[in-house]
């Protein structure tokens, strides 16, 4: 193989295979959840359909090269197998509407689309021209795949939350892009190196955003907790003061106490008047009885 004569290409190719394999396994927790719940919930199938289409394109492109594309074929073949398993599981547990839409995209993109590309390249191009045409198609599709995280980055900036952008995935995507960039430079393949420049850049931006917004919320949360604690202590102190201190604390305290006091005094006065009237009535009755007896 021509690749064995280029030590750096071989080293970066092996590293790229290992890191890309880890990236291919990243959705495993998602599919474990899908299998356990027997539902795809709100997950989408497009990332897996796009991944298998990209792997098929790179395999076809690498087959046009004289031995230097061997390591591209190995990892993308593994990727095709893994992504096929994901798609089978997704279709199995998806509802009817999602299953039909997934199968439609699979037929149009991965079968019809790929078949058209192969027929056009085989019938209308030859040799180096075919390699250039395929390389351009691979670059175009890879750029669109690498640009997909822009929507996630926009969500992170808007919500100031990194919940949907795990740092580990961003890290491995960046490492994968950097490794394949050096691999492309080592074999002097512009079509392999170019899209990975964008991939490495966007991956680095994702990690920077993660660091910024991961530690952006922590001080704010701590400040909020402190404010709540201080407010709670203040409320307790006010309650104690209201209970213990005889002096006025607020307008409501000033007006409530006299009101209760006045009511109690009024009730006492009314009771005293009533008892006095009753005593007067009893005295008057006893006097009348005495007068009658005397008569």
């Amino acid at each position: 193989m021509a690749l064995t004569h280029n030590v750096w290409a071989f080293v970066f190719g092996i590293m790229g295979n290992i890191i890309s394999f880890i990236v291919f396994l990243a959705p495993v927790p998602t599919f474990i959840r899908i299998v356990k719940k027997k539902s795809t919930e709100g997950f989408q199938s497009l990332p897996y359909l796009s991944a298998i289409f990209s792997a098929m394109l790179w395999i076809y492109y690498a087959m046009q090269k004289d031995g230097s594309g061997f390591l591209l074929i190995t990892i993308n073949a593994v990727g095709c197998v893994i992504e096929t398993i994901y798609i089978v599981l997704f279709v199995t547990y998806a509802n009817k509407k999602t299953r039909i839409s997934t199968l439609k995209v699979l037929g149009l993109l991965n079968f019809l689309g790929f078949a058209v590309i192969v027929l056009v390249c085989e019938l209308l191009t030859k040799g180096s021209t075919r390699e250039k045409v395929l390389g351009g198609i691979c670059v175009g599709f890879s750029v669109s795949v690498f640009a997909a995280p822009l929507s996630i980055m926009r969500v992170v900036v808007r919500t100031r939350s990194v919940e949907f952008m795990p740092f580990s995935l961003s890290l491995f995507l960046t490492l994968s892009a950097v490794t394949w960039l050096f691999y492309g430079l080592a074999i002097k393949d512009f079509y392999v190196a170019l899209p990975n420049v964008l991939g490495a850049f966007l991956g680095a931006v994702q990690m920077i955003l993660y660091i910024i917004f991961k530690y952006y919320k922590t001080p704010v949360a701590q400040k909020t907790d402190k404010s709540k604690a201080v407010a709670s202590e203040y409320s307790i102190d006010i309650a104690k003061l209201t209970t213990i201190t005889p002096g006025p604390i607020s307008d409501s305290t000033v007006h409530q106490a006299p009101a209760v006091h006045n009511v109690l005094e009024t009730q006492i006065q009314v009771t005293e008047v009533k008892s006095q009237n009753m005593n007067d009535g009893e005295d008057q009755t006893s006097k009348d009885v005495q007068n009658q007896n005397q008569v």
Side-chain angles (χ1 to χ4, degrees):
M1 283 191 306
L3 189 62
T4 57
H5 298 291
N6 192 332
V7 177
W8 285 113
F10 183 76
V11 170
F12 286 120
I14 294 296
M15 290 174 59
N17 272 252
I18 296 171
I19 297 172
S20 295
F21 179 72
I22 296 173
V23 172
F24 279 129
L25 294 180
V28 167
T30 298
F31 281 92
I32 291 175
R33 175 177 173 177
I34 289 173
V35 171
K36 284 183 177 179
K37 295 194 173 184
K38 299 185 183 303
S39 171
T40 56
E41 299 176 307
F43 295 108
Q44 302 295 321
S45 60
L46 188 58
Y48 315 110
L49 296 171
S50 301
I52 193 172
F53 182 70
S54 177
M56 292 164 65
L57 282 177
W58 282 110
I59 289 174
Y60 184 44
Y61 171 77
M63 291 173 65
Q64 311 304 316
K65 303 179 72 66
D66 299 328
S68 60
F70 175 73
L71 292 175
L72 281 175
I73 294 175
T74 56
I75 185 56
N76 284 290
V78 172
C80 283
V81 174
I82 294 174
E83 298 297 335
T84 300
I85 294 172
Y86 292 156
I87 293 169
V88 169
L89 289 174
F90 190 93
V91 171
T92 301
Y93 293 104
N95 57 44
K96 185 177 180 181
K97 182 179 179 181
T98 306
R99 184 183 299 118
I100 292 173
S101 64
T102 299
L103 292 175
K104 283 182 178 179
V105 176
L106 179 66
L108 291 173
L109 179 66
N110 298 83
F111 289 100
L112 183 59
F114 184 72
V116 169
I117 291 173
V118 171
L119 286 174
V120 169
C121 291
E122 292 293 332
L123 297 176
L124 301 180
T125 61
K126 292 182 180 180
S128 61
T129 304
R130 181 183 300 169
E131 183 179 330
K132 290 178 182 178
V133 171
L134 270 175
I137 295 173
C138 290
V139 168
F141 191 78
S142 295
V143 167
S144 64
V145 171
F146 279 129
L150 290 174
S151 59
I152 301 297
M153 292 161 64
R154 186 171 63 251
V155 171
V156 170
V157 173
R158 189 176 69 249
T159 62
R160 300 181 183 277
S161 171
V162 294
E163 180 182 359
F164 301 105
M165 192 178 69
F167 182 81
S168 58
L169 182 58
S170 299
L171 174 62
F172 279 105
L173 286 173
T174 306
L175 290 175
S176 177
V178 170
T179 304
W180 287 113
L181 168 61
F182 283 113
Y183 174 81
L185 294 175
I187 64 173
K188 298 179 181 179
D189 192 321
F190 170 81
Y191 300 108
V192 174
L194 180 61
N196 287 291
V197 173
L198 179 62
F201 172 75
L202 291 178
V205 172
Q206 286 183 46
M207 290 191 294
I208 292 171
L209 287 177
Y210 185 93
I211 293 171
I212 291 173
F213 291 109
K214 174 68 175 179
Y215 299 101
Y216 172 85
K217 295 184 70 175
T218 303
V220 175
Q222 290 176 351
K223 186 178 179 181
T224 305
D225 293 339
K226 272 186 188 176
S227 301
K228 287 182 180 178
V230 171
S232 176
E233 291 177 3
Y234 180 75
S235 300
I236 293 171
D237 291 341
I238 290 297
K240 290 179 180 177
L241 288 172
T242 308
T243 306
I244 299 172
T245 307
I249 299 301
S250 63
D251 292 340
S252 59
T253 310
V254 170
H255 295 296
Q256 285 175 359
V260 175
H261 182 67
N262 290 338
V263 170
L264 292 175
E265 286 185 351
T266 304
Q267 289 177 351
I268 292 170
Q269 290 174 359
V270 170
T271 305
E272 289 178 352
V273 170
K274 285 183 179 180
S275 71
Q276 185 177 358
N277 290 337
M278 290 176 64
N279 292 332
D280 292 341
E282 289 177 358
D283 293 341
Q284 185 65 35
T285 303
S286 62
K287 285 181 181 180
D288 291 339
V289 171
Q290 290 176 2
N291 290 334
Q292 287 178 0
N293 291 332
Q294 289 175 359
V295 173

